[in-house]
Amino acid sequence: EVQLVESGGGLIQPGGSLRLSCADSGSTVSNNYLIWVRQAPGKGLEWVSLLYTGNNNAHYIDSVKGRFTISRDASTNTFYLQMNSLRVEDTAIYYCTRDRGGWAALVGDWGQGTLVTVSS
Amino acid sequence: DIVMTQTPLSSPVTLGQPASISCRSSQSLVHSNGNTYLNWLQQRPGQPPRLLIYRVSYRFSGVPDRFSGSGAGTDFTLKISRVEAEDVGIYYCMQATQFPLTFGPGTKVDIK
């Protein structure tokens, strides 16, 4: 069974840092697209970042460039989102998602999400 | 950035009746490789999103065949042939042709 499990969310003051983790117990291939998507309270979905493990290429939405970093630990099959200089507008549920068999089904598998609240 | 729009934003439907959601992109979603990367996702209340349709018309694993996708270029449609109670939720289109990846605003489907 495919399972992505996020952790690391919580309440943080503006300007602070958090690292989100996503433990991936379901991937059976060596190269994947690993993605973070967020959803502000009562709002729609917003793509945040993507990492292709085949060549370590990473992409970010403009609003998080220079503040967030996506990475992966292959030894533990866990990927991360390091979030620095957090802003109130970063408050959201953060979902990790992964492709199922390539770019076509880019967001095939999802975690349950972890809530990040940025507030003083 | 490619802007995704959806109509309607809210769709009350009768159980057993069909439902249809439209999605339009501000630019063609045809990739340079010839593929069109338009996805449809469902988010039931209190749940994470779930992939329903990828590459315009391919049903993802485990998705009932009452869901179908169609379209080309900039205009796409998700159809539910006969709405069931478990179909209540918000439906999003999403493009993966170009960075940044973008989603439509969502269409809320509920039962009349």
Side-chain angles (χ1 to χ4, degrees):
Chain A
E1 181 190 344
V2 173
Q3 200 166 15
L4 297 172
V5 180
E6 301 97 336
S7 59
L11 175 62
I12 187 78
Q13 290 190 337
S17 297
L18 275 180
R19 188 177 79 158
L20 305 183
S21 300
C22 179
D24 181 354
S25 62
S27 177
T28 58
V29 298
S30 55
N31 294 324
N32 284 109
Y33 296 97
L34 310 175
I35 302 116
W36 289 96
V37 172
R38 67 185 178 185
Q39 187 169 36
K43 301 296 184 183
L45 302 171
E46 181 178 53
W47 168 74
V48 174
S49 181
L50 177 148
L51 175 70
Y52 177 55
T53 62
N55 57 15
N56 267 337
N57 270 359
H59 300 266
Y60 302 90
I61 194 171
D62 281 350
S63 60
V64 308
K65 279 180 185 173
R67 300 190 298 125
F68 290 11
T69 303
I70 189 171
S71 62
R72 173 202 181 213
D73 182 342
S75 67
T76 60
N77 230 12
T78 300
F79 65 105
Y80 303 96
L81 188 67
Q82 177 67 42
M83 305 187 297
N84 299 331
S85 303
L86 280 161
R87 304 169 180 168
V88 171
E89 56 265 34
D90 295 319
T91 294
I93 298 172
Y94 285 73
Y95 296 101
C96 62
T97 171
R98 173 178 39 73
D99 73 284
R100 180 93 68 88
W103 188 265
L106 186 62
V107 289
D109 297 307
W110 290 73
Q112 289 296 312
T114 187
L115 177 62
V116 172
T117 304
V118 185
S119 174
S120 54
Chain B
D1 298 4
I2 297 177
V3 177
M4 306 297 289
T5 56
Q6 290 180 231
T7 54
L9 296 182
S10 179
S11 180
V13 295
T14 302
L15 287 174
Q17 292 300 303
S20 180
I21 301 169
S22 294
C23 173
R24 179 167 288 180
S25 57
S26 61
Q27 304 172 34
S28 172
L29 296 186
V30 180
H31 192 273
S32 56
N33 66 12
N35 292 324
T36 300
Y37 295 109
L38 186 281
N39 302 317
W40 288 97
L41 295 94
Q42 175 197 61
Q43 187 173 30
R44 292 171 172 151
Q47 295 294 313
R50 164 197 179 200
L51 182 63
L52 293 178
I53 302 286
Y54 64 95
R55 273 187 60 198
V56 180
S57 61
Y58 294 86
R59 266 188 305 277
F60 191 59
S61 174
V63 174
D65 61 6
R66 64 179 181 275
F67 291 94
S68 65
S70 63
T74 61
D75 288 286
F76 306 92
T77 302
L78 175 72
K79 291 184 179 174
I80 311 173
S81 60
R82 293 172 306 279
V83 172
E84 298 188 6
E86 65 179 19
D87 300 335
V88 165
I90 301 176
Y91 291 78
Y92 297 92
C93 59
M94 171 204 167
Q95 68 81 19
T97 292
Q98 180 185 116
F99 287 108
L101 311 181
T102 49
F103 293 87
T107 294
K108 186 174 183 180
V109 172
D110 58 12
I111 306 301
K112 279 183 187 174

